[in-house]
Amino acid sequence: NAGVTQTPKFRVLKTGQSMTLLCAQDMNHEYMYWYRQDPGMGLRLIHYSVGEGTTAKGEVPDGYNVSRLKKQNFLLGLESAAPSQTSVYFCASSPSLSGRPSTDTQYFGPGTRLTVL
Amino acid sequence: AQSVSQHNHHVILSEAASLELGCNYSYGGTVNLFWYVQYPGQHLQLLLKYFSGDPLVKGIKGFEAEFIKSKFSFNLRKPSVQWSDTAEYFCAVIAKNSGTYKYIFGTGTRLKVLA
């Protein structure tokens, strides 16, 4: 049981390049999330998904797109990277035990450190 | 706008000292409150959470937190810290607003415990 895994662990991009971050979970969780963590800012939610085929915007969605084609995977895409997107990106998942995701524990991945030059 | 404030950004304590980390939130509706911890080199993991019932909740490794609704606070406490408690601690609020969920994390508190 690997939990939540993220690929890649590190990446350096040039401004304007595109890339996709992959998040995978093997816990059969319904909900998945993408956060970014910046110094002095805490974790901020980018997008989340409440089930396969569904996505929703979080607090800071601009410049990112997501897809949840399979229940176990949640992809975060940067179409045209900007230096402001330099950050550590965390993926998380949570079950829907109670039907109220706001009470469920989130399980986090190890993070992806992205630098945009 | 909804927010979560952790006023202590860095805390240094000696082993056996008592710990209290502050967490205040601004949101008028029903909230669910969490404390997560990130040990060096490890994933963020749940310490404890509150969503209803007894406002004093106990978590792993001897941590507890008290929800005081009138003060919009959810402070984390531990009577006697250990060197292994060195980590970064995040307070989080999850609330439902007009059918959508708001997930708001604080900026984190780095705790260093001196042996």
Side-chain angles (χ1 to χ4, degrees), chain B residues 5-24:
Chain B
S5 297
Q6 292 182 243
H7 304 294
N8 314 102
H9 298 296
H10 293 90
V11 173
I12 301 175
L13 295 173
S14 298
E15 274 195 315
S18 64
L19 170 72
E20 180 160 3
L21 301 182
C23 173
N24 288 88

Side-chain angles (χ1 to χ4, degrees), chain A residues 76-97:
Chain A
L76 177 71
L78 286 73
E79 289 185 350
S80 180
S84 61
Q85 294 177 304
T86 294
S87 187
V88 180
Y89 292 86
F90 287 99
C91 177
S93 70
S94 64
S96 180
L97 296 173

